[in-house]
Amino acid sequence: MVGFLKPKMNLACSILFVKSASTKAGFAIKAAGLVDEKFKCLICRLILKRPMVLVCGHHICFGCIAIDRNVHCPKCHEITLASQIQQDNDFESEIYELHSSCYLCEWLGVLKDYQTHLEKVHEIYECLHCCETFDSAVTLNQHKENVCPNVIINCILQPFGCKEQDSFCVAKHLNIISITTISGQSHYEDTLDKDLQSLDTTIPSVTTASSSADQQMCVTGTIIDIADSVRVLNRGLEKLNDQFLQQSQSIETTGQYLQVLNALHGESNESVKTHSTTMGILQQESSELKQQLAEYQSTSYDGTFLWKLTDIGQKMTEARTKHKISIYSSAFYSSPTGYKTCARLYPYGDENTFGTHMSISFVVMRSTNDPVLFYPFNYEVTFCLLDQTDQQRHIIRTIRPDEQSNCSQRPQLDMNTPTEIPDFVPLYIFEQVNNPYVRNNTMFIRILIDFENLPKTLLPYVMSLNPGLPPHTRQKLIQQEMERHQRVSQAEDASTSRQN
């Protein structure tokens, strides 16, 4: 008897045609965080591509699920049978009308044109069967020919009438062929044994009945025919054995490859989660640092503050429409360890002067050094709207907080009650042609906390000093001007005395 190799089906064939869950099947675009969550895949978290609707109403990308398996909804945990999964064409049309921007360049357009843009400009090609993307047409073709589990192929039993064209059918028929071959092999072995036994019985009877040459030649021909049939059968079975061994090895290799991909996918997910958390923390810290830097750059520590107000036209419009009636300045200090204060401007007036005057107020704020500072705060504060021309016709107003009111006491909250100048500047000034106080839609207000009781006649000089001078230089010039005023005053007094 001739021996036969009995092929064994590898269990890896059951996963050959299962789609890898690591495929990122959705559309990747810029600013995806601004898109409504209903347009995002629950698995890949990208914009849905070929949305499949589950029985619970949630959507998943076609490329993110294995359509021959039941699906466990990641959001509500309801199970949808494979036969119940359907493509939502109406929802897909709604998605493709979304405005989007390319994550690789500055392209803008609707989502339905996005894939064409990726292929033409960035050479990113997509497999229509599994939604995986590639950087060239060559790798895409290799994927469809050798790797893609969703490519439609004809069943190997097509010559015998099978018209199926899916991967599951092919795997099922491979299994059937394996079982049939094994059983067929046993059948052929039994038939061969019966033929040989019949031959053993026939030869003696033929020899006994007749010893003629014709009868011997007939028996010999029968033996030769049987031997030829056995050889043909053996060759066919050997060929089938080789084919099944190759298929089993290919299926086993693919199964191992999928296991590696799944492991890499899990590690990648953990890495992405860690990276996202870190990025969120860094962005928050960066935002806080930017805010602190902006405050630091505009903060002064010598009791003076130059407040630059840009886009003043827009600010006055917002105040007139009561969209935003007031603006706070940055905090400024009397010294590095001194009082913390700020100003508040009403561009179109407060509740008492709305529509007639621009109002301004001074606010004492709570600081870490308040326990050792002297209160009530009773120093005069001068506001000066700067004339940006050579005329230097500044508008100067001075106020002193009321020592009996909350505005000058030690702060218990973040801010005390403001001390206001409701009629700081008449609004008609800003309506004049060639208004000297606003240039390039910007105006400047200088604020001075007077700790030295400067004479009122000296304030125009102080406010006209170059803001670019260092504090000690400004203080020296002010001191010199005070001494000059004193000399002039003394000379005038002496002259008056002589006249009398």
Side-chain angles (χ1 to χ4, degrees), residues 457-458 461 477-491:
T457 56
L458 197 61
Y461 173 78
L477 292 174
I478 293 172
Q479 186 63 35
Q480 291 175 354
E481 185 66 15
M482 288 180 63
E483 293 173 357
R484 189 183 70 81
H485 270 254
Q486 290 177 356
R487 290 194 299 269
V488 171
S489 177
Q490 291 172 359

Side-chain angles (χ1 to χ4, degrees), residues 320-384:
R320 184 175 64 252
T321 58
K322 297 187 178 181
H323 178 68
K324 187 176 182 182
I325 63 172
S326 65
I327 311 164
Y328 282 96
S329 73
S330 300
F332 59 97
Y333 297 79
S334 60
S335 70
T337 58
Y339 299 100
K340 181 180 181 182
T341 62
C342 72
R344 184 179 185 183
L345 180 71
Y346 298 82
Y348 213 69
D350 62 8
E351 59 183 6
N352 298 317
T353 60
F354 188 81
T356 61
H357 289 78
M358 179 180 287
S359 306
I360 197 165
S361 60
F362 176 78
V363 184
V364 178
M365 305 176 68
R366 183 168 58 185
S367 72
T368 56
N369 297 319
D370 283 342
V372 296
L373 299 179
F374 292 170
Y375 283 93
F377 183 94
N378 59 352
Y379 301 100
E380 282 192 347
V381 180
T382 300
F383 295 94
C384 177

Side-chain angles (χ1 to χ4, degrees), residues 50-69:
R50 298 180 65 186
M52 309 299 290
V53 63
L54 308 180
V55 293
C56 58
H58 296 129
H59 293 83
I60 297 176
C61 295
F62 170 81
C64 288
I65 59 175
I67 59 176
D68 58 343
R69 284 190 174 183

Side-chain angles (χ1 to χ4, degrees), residues 458-474:
L458 197 61
L459 287 178
Y461 173 78
V462 174
M463 293 301 177
S464 298
L465 288 175
N466 184 0
L469 296 176
H472 68 276
T473 303
R474 292 201 305 270

